[in-house]
Amino acid sequence: SNLRDLYKTISKAHKKPILALPENQNKELIAQVWTKPSAMPYITNNALEYQKSEGYCGRSTLRNILKSFPNFPKDLIPQASGGPCDPKTWSKLIHDLAEEHHTKMPKIQTRIIPGDIPYANFMEEIKVALNDPSSRIALNYLRPALVGFKTPKILPANFVLSLMSGHFSPVIGMLKESKDSDCLIAVFDVNHTYGGTYLVPSRMLYESVKAHDLMTGRSRALVIIKMENPLNQNGVE
């Protein structure tokens, strides 16, 4: 069952959480991330911010991504707010903006990549998007699949509640591309509790996105955001 599979995935992460991995927040590796073309727009456009409160992760991720596009009108960036959010409702926020402000807003496309596609396809989607200056990646994932259970882990209500909502954050880069071992995926966690940018082994990240949402019965997802004719970080087409 989905619940049994989720418990197995989170139990594995609990024994070896990403926070315990030496590369998780390795300063030298994180410094390499910020030299990547996929990460630089977030820095040069002062786009990064943490969520103001629990439940604000979806809107905070959207704000980070839209701010990273130099030609996106700053006055159209939604205010930080909370509320339930899944990949479809998150994408709809962008399309609602476009419908309301079609004369001011650059054309933006969104594409939802479900987490239960094969691992090789999942990785290809990330690689292609990170190598495209006009694209950004929003990650909807089950954080307990990376960090394990919150204590006390034995309370059934706590466990089930943790599976009801996915977390959102931007994917900003990739390190150690290799056919023989996992890549490291760089995530900027909008929840400041987790220290900002961290590195996740690609298969572990895949499992956290593949994990089913008990509310919808579907896996979580990547959302690829692509802007037509974006300016580069220096404001030039």
Side-chain angles (χ1 to χ4, degrees):
S1 69
N2 288 336
L3 188 59
R4 186 167 55 248
D5 291 340
L6 288 170
Y7 189 88
K8 182 179 177 182
T9 297
I10 298 173
S11 293
K12 185 177 178 181
H14 194 75
K15 293 175 183 175
K16 194 176 181 181
I18 58 164
L19 301 177
L21 301 179
E23 64 269 27
N24 176 245
Q25 288 188 315
N26 180 287
K27 290 183 179 179
E28 291 182 3
L29 293 177
I30 297 296
Q32 290 180 38
V33 170
W34 295 120
T35 67
K36 299 286 184 180
S38 58
M40 289 177 65
Y42 289 98
I43 296 297
T44 56
N45 296 299
N46 195 28
L48 296 175
E49 63 178 52
Y50 291 116
Q51 64 185 21
K52 290 186 175 181
S53 181
E54 286 289 340
Y56 280 50
C57 62
R59 190 62 65 93
S60 296
T61 298
L62 179 62
R63 285 175 53 82
N64 283 325
I65 286 174
L66 294 180
K67 286 161 63 180
S68 76
F69 289 112
N71 59 330
F72 191 89
K74 297 295 184 278
D75 60 320
L76 297 187
I77 295 173
Q79 293 298 309
S81 64
C85 199
D86 59 41
K88 283 189 175 182
T89 57
W90 191 92
S91 299
K92 188 175 183 296
L93 287 171
I94 297 178
H95 296 296
D96 287 349
L97 271 178
E99 187 173 327
E100 185 178 352
H101 303 285
H102 65 277
T103 58
K104 292 179 63 178
M105 190 168 145
K107 289 185 178 180
I108 294 183
Q109 299 175 341
T110 62
R111 194 160 55 90
I112 296 173
I113 311 298
D116 55 4
I117 63 174
Y119 172 73
N121 299 53
F122 176 83
M123 289 304 301
E124 185 64 19
E125 293 284 358
I126 291 178
K127 290 175 183 177
V128 169
L130 289 177
N131 286 323
D132 179 3
S134 67
S135 294
R136 306 288 187 267
I137 305 174
L139 177 72
N140 178 234
Y141 61 113
L142 180 66
R143 196 199 280 116
L146 302 181
V147 301
F149 297 100
K150 289 184 177 180
T151 53
K153 64 173 285 191
I154 58 173
L155 292 180
N158 286 0
F159 171 63
V160 174
L161 186 62
S162 72
L163 306 179
M164 293 297 186
S165 60
H167 185 58
F168 273 90
S169 285
V171 173
I172 59 174
M174 178 186 295
L175 295 179
K176 292 186 178 179
E177 289 190 47
S178 170
K179 293 182 179 179
D180 302 321
S181 62
D182 284 2
C183 304
L184 292 173
I185 309 297
V187 176
F188 175 78
D189 197 322
V190 296
N191 186 331
H192 74 280
T193 305
Y194 295 88
T197 302
Y198 51 71
L199 296 166
V200 186
S202 52
R203 287 188 183 274
M204 200 171 184
L205 187 72
Y206 171 66
E207 292 298 330
S208 75
V209 182
K210 185 181 178 182
H212 277 72
D213 183 335
L214 292 185
M215 291 290 287
T216 65
R218 295 188 295 269
S219 68
R220 288 155 173 84
L222 305 172
V223 183
I224 310 295
I225 302 92
K226 186 176 177 68
M227 179 178 287
E228 254 187 38
N229 302 319
L231 305 178
N232 66 22
Q233 58 262 30
N234 296 316
V236 179
E237 287 191 20

